Amino acid sequence: LVDMTGQASVTIEARDNEMVPRYVEITAGTKVNFTNVGRNPHDLVPFEDGAFESVKQANFGPGRAHVVTFSTAGDFPYYCSVHGTMKHGMNGAIRVVAAK
């Protein structure tokens, strides 16, 4: 778990078949920039439907980015359905803690 609390924005890279960093902890209100730095198109699917806006594969090709602001505390696991599942392959999680 990478502690990124207190930062206004953080970046998670979608590389070929992995998310880097895979597990992060942020403060509520932080913007997360999901950036595809790999060669393949991906998608972003929250484990819990509606936890945050999913991103379709057509909108997350190489060089593309998607920003999500996490406003409420909680755990937000996600995965790329093209290259994994919630338990295997390309997945990760964001832990959001309340601002102090």
Side-chain angles (χ1 to χ4, degrees), residues 6 18-19 27 42 55-56 62 73-74 79 86 89 91 96:
E18 66 178 335
M19 303 304 284
T27 308
H42 300 290
V55 181
K56 295 184 185 300
Y79 62 101
M86 197 54 248
N91 59 34
V96 181

Side-chain angles (χ1 to χ4, degrees), residues 30-44:
T30 300
K31 292 181 181 180
V32 176
N33 301 297
F34 291 97
T35 305
N36 185 342
V37 298
R39 297 172 302 203
N40 300 309
H42 300 290
D43 64 6
L44 293 171

Side-chain angles (χ1 to χ4, degrees), residues 55-72:
V55 181
K56 295 184 185 300
Q57 184 178 5
N59 297 326
F60 200 46
R64 303 280 306 265
H66 182 72
V67 178
V68 177
T69 300
F70 289 87
S71 300
T72 58

Side-chain angles (χ1 to χ4, degrees), residues 1-4 10 12 21-26 93-96:
L1 181 66
V2 178
D3 184 352
M4 296 181 157
V10 300
I12 296 176
R22 189 173 186 180
Y23 303 111
V24 300
E25 184 173 76
I26 63 173
I94 298 167
R95 172 165 288 156
V96 181

